[in-house]
Amino acid sequence: MNVFFFPVWGEQYINNFLNICLPCLDDNLSKLSSKEISNSKLEIWTSKKDIKLFKNNLILKRLKKKLKVNYEHIDVLLNLKKNFSNKYQFLAFIQYNFICSHIKKYKYLWFLYPDFMFSNNLIK
């Protein structure tokens, strides 16, 4: 049981996610059996207004057939962003919230950033 966590908001960062990272994830998952990814989930933490940018993506539509895809609205968290001295502290805060809410439900928590490009066998 895997959960793939992507904190992503803003049009440019979402485009990076859809055009760079998501194809890598799709390629990786296609190398696994359905048993290996059963009960797995893709978590996209984003702003409510940005959800529309994901809706028509063909790779996401294909992935929804293999695993659960969940959009978590983080507008409340995004409003706290100004309280952090840099984006890395803010991302650590978001990751902490994610870990606390998922650690007991999943065996593997994957932290992949929207502009990551990774090898075809990373997940395997």
Side-chain angles (χ1 to χ4, degrees):
M1 291 179 29
N2 298 285
V3 61
F4 303 96
F5 171 65
F6 291 96
V8 56
W9 59 90
E11 189 171 351
Q12 182 177 354
Y13 213 37
I14 290 170
N15 285 334
N16 287 344
F17 170 70
L18 296 174
N19 296 313
I20 298 170
C21 193
L22 198 60
C24 290
L25 179 64
D26 185 39
D27 194 44
N28 269 256
L29 294 178
S30 69
K31 292 173 174 49
L32 301 174
S33 71
S34 57
K35 182 181 177 184
E36 291 174 300
I37 59 172
S38 67
N39 298 316
S40 292
K41 186 178 187 182
L42 172 62
E43 283 268 330
I44 300 171
W45 287 29
T46 192
S47 69
K48 194 171 188 173
K49 71 175 179 63
D50 286 339
I51 294 287
K52 66 184 181 300
L53 299 172
F54 297 96
K55 292 298 181 180
N56 294 319
N57 183 273
L58 296 176
I59 295 174
L60 271 174
K61 287 180 180 182
R62 187 169 49 245
L63 285 174
K64 284 181 182 181
K65 296 176 184 175
K66 298 177 186 180
L67 51 106
K68 295 175 191 171
V69 176
N70 181 54
Y71 297 97
E72 192 69 35
H73 301 148
I74 60 167
D75 295 288
V76 171
L77 297 177
L78 290 171
N79 289 332
L80 298 174
K81 190 167 64 167
K82 62 184 173 280
N83 297 330
F84 293 86
S85 60
N86 62 55
K87 68 179 180 181
Y88 301 106
Q89 286 182 342
F90 180 64
L91 283 171
F93 170 71
I94 290 177
Q95 286 175 342
Y96 176 78
N97 281 279
F98 171 76
I99 290 167
C100 291
S101 63
H102 288 74
I103 192 72
K104 293 182 180 181
K105 299 177 198 172
Y106 294 91
K107 186 173 181 178
Y108 300 104
L109 305 178
W110 292 84
F111 296 92
L112 303 167
Y113 291 97
D115 51 359
F116 274 11
M117 185 182 290
F118 47 92
S119 73
N120 292 337
N121 292 313
L122 175 75
I123 295 171
K124 191 170 187 174

